[in-house]
Amino acid sequence: RPLEVLARAVELGVRSAGFGGALLSDWLAGPAALEANAEERALQLAKVLTALGPTFIKAGQSASIRTDLLAPPYIRGLTSLQDQVPPFPTDEATALIREELGEAEGVEALLDSLSAEPVAAASLGQVYRGALPDGTPIALKVQRPRMARQIALDMLLIREVLAPLASAVGLPGDLVGTADAWGEGFVAELDYSAEAANAALFNANVRQGQLSGSVFAPPVVEGFSSRRVLTTEWVDGERLDRCRAPEDVPRLCSLAMSTYLQMMLQDGVLHCDPHPGNLLRTAEGKLCILDWGLVTTISPDLQLTLIEHVAHLTAEDYAKVPNDLVRLGFVPEGGETDIESSGVVDYLTFVYSAWNSGGGASKLDVPALLARVQELTAETENGLFQIPPYFAYIAKSFSVLEGIGLSSDPDYSIVQETLPYISRRIMSDPSPRTAGALETFVFGDVKDDRTARVLSPKRVETLLQGARKYAAATAAVDGADPTLLQPLDTEAAADALLDTLQTPSPLQALVVEQLTLVLAAS
């Protein structure tokens, strides 16, 4: 339908022209005008994104929590996209609910119980509060009309127009493939029955591990859910960025990070929409994760490669990073030589060190960073860096989590916040590759010399501190031990080590090896 595509392209251009023209005028007038008009421009941008529809609302939602990238006026303006999207008429919602649920018993009673107006409106749907016949409070989400067609049009334009333009100006990576990955995610998000299955899978995974009792997704009410209607039990809670217990936000950020790392590196199904409106603190201090329509799957091999990479980052073994980038798909096969000869290792060491110190992108000169990446890409025959399509949703999820952390702590370090989960995982996972990551962490460059390598006390202390922080963040809130948050001491370290050594694990094997070396030397 070329005419329909052209009409949408014209609509996007016309709706954006006013904001673009005003911003260009401010830029030409100089920095004083940009600063003076920032509040007004931010509100204009939020209105433009809202008018453009769900694809662009979601982009604004992701940007709204990047306090290290955007000026405060734009953060304030775009924050409205998280939970202040205009609703559609309730009579249209009621008609769609009847169409989806049909003649199921209790549908009319359910409809009668719903609030007269939606309690929240989002990019793809809106939520009403109601009750089941037995009085159980519920949240009913109903999809906006005609979503599939609009998203298909937008993604076509992004794929066929914006992605090639971005590649033409030098942005690295498979941008068309990335657009395809985003498009698949948007289409999947329109199926509320799949969202229900995703939430149920998450709750089942949580119940089997240490996160049980501290984090959950709202239970789905099966009889009143379908492809375009989703009914869950109602959850009372506060957004993390508006929490009335701000002293608990750091723990919840750590818990959220451990939860998302478990999803990505253990369960293999990652929630990809963690903006502040979807992360709630309950009255009991639990973390509730809403909106499970957008997820991505991570293969077991990729999980292990990511574990190795994160272990190298947290241990500051930056020399291992170039090989990681090849295995992760950021550098083409055979690109190791180019990395070693082009000074990339030194540059990556600088970037990762700055990132590791906290503060997000505010500690980096982002334009200079992008320019250097483009230079390195241009200096090699086939391009040095590329962004693999699978990384789009991983980057989105953890970028949002970093933004939430930075909103409560300007020096928040997402690299350091991975340490609790990674510590526990590499200490206990019997996989040979995970055990290798542990050896890299505690021995560094001499890990392959089994006759001479010696545990680094500093690295072991870091490892145990991470494990104890994981225990503190993921403890069931009713029985949380506040002493877990105290600084590491010798007795606590010994207790943590003995707990880990109770069962066969990579750490147990390393301790036995080191004891054998000590006895042999004596």
Side-chain angles (χ1 to χ4, degrees), residues 109-181:
L110 180 68
L111 288 171
D112 290 341
S113 76
L114 297 182
S115 52
E117 298 296 332
V119 296
S123 54
L124 299 184
Q126 59 195 34
V127 178
Y128 294 85
R129 181 165 185 168
L132 297 178
D134 63 3
T136 301
I138 56 95
L140 186 147
K141 180 166 71 171
V142 57
Q143 194 173 113
R144 290 177 180 271
R146 299 173 293 280
M147 281 290 92
R149 180 175 295 276
Q150 187 171 356
I151 289 174
L153 277 172
D154 290 342
M155 294 311 304
L156 175 65
L157 289 168
I158 290 172
R159 185 186 195 279
E160 301 297 334
V161 179
L162 293 183
L165 282 176
S167 295
V169 299
L171 285 182
D174 181 4
L175 300 185
V176 171
T178 300
D180 287 341

Side-chain angles (χ1 to χ4, degrees), residues 220 406 439:
V220 174
L406 288 167
E439 292 179 357

Side-chain angles (χ1 to χ4, degrees), residues 300-467:
D301 181 70
L302 180 57
Q303 288 176 342
L304 290 171
T305 304
L306 286 166
I307 289 171
E308 292 167 337
H309 180 55
V310 175
H312 294 154
L313 293 184
T314 53
E316 300 183 16
D317 284 329
Y318 302 124
K320 302 287 197 311
V321 169
N323 184 56
D324 292 343
L325 295 179
V326 173
R327 296 171 64 192
L328 289 169
F330 288 93
V331 173
E333 288 288 342
E336 297 92 334
T337 302
D338 290 327
I339 292 179
E340 292 172 0
S341 62
S342 62
V344 172
V345 173
D346 291 338
Y347 189 67
L348 287 177
T349 298
F350 161 72
V351 172
Y352 282 129
S353 296
W355 193 26
N356 192 19
S357 69
S362 65
K363 297 288 183 67
L364 299 169
D365 184 343
V366 175
L369 173 62
L370 291 175
R372 182 57 179 149
V373 169
Q374 291 173 358
E375 289 174 12
L376 291 170
T377 301
E379 290 169 1
T380 53
E381 182 177 352
N382 297 315
L384 186 59
F385 287 111
Q386 59 190 14
I387 307 299
Y390 77 81
F391 192 67
Y393 282 121
I394 294 177
K396 177 178 185 291
S397 293
F398 287 92
S399 174
V400 170
L401 290 174
E402 184 180 34
I404 294 172
L406 288 167
S407 68
S408 63
D409 177 8
D411 294 320
Y412 177 86
S413 169
I414 191 172
V415 176
Q416 289 300 314
E417 280 301 319
T418 64
L419 181 60
Y421 175 85
I422 292 298
S423 296
R424 174 185 171 277
R425 180 68 181 270
I426 64 178
M427 286 167 65
S428 59
D429 189 331
S431 161
R433 288 178 62 183
T434 307
L438 173 63
E439 292 179 357
T440 295
F441 196 104
V442 296
F443 293 121
D445 292 337
V446 299
K447 77 165 191 174
D448 294 325
D449 188 352
R450 292 181 175 271
T451 62
R453 65 185 190 180
V454 178
L455 290 172
S456 164
K458 181 179 178 181
R459 292 189 176 207
V460 171
E461 178 180 331
T462 300
L463 195 68
L464 294 175
Q465 182 65 43

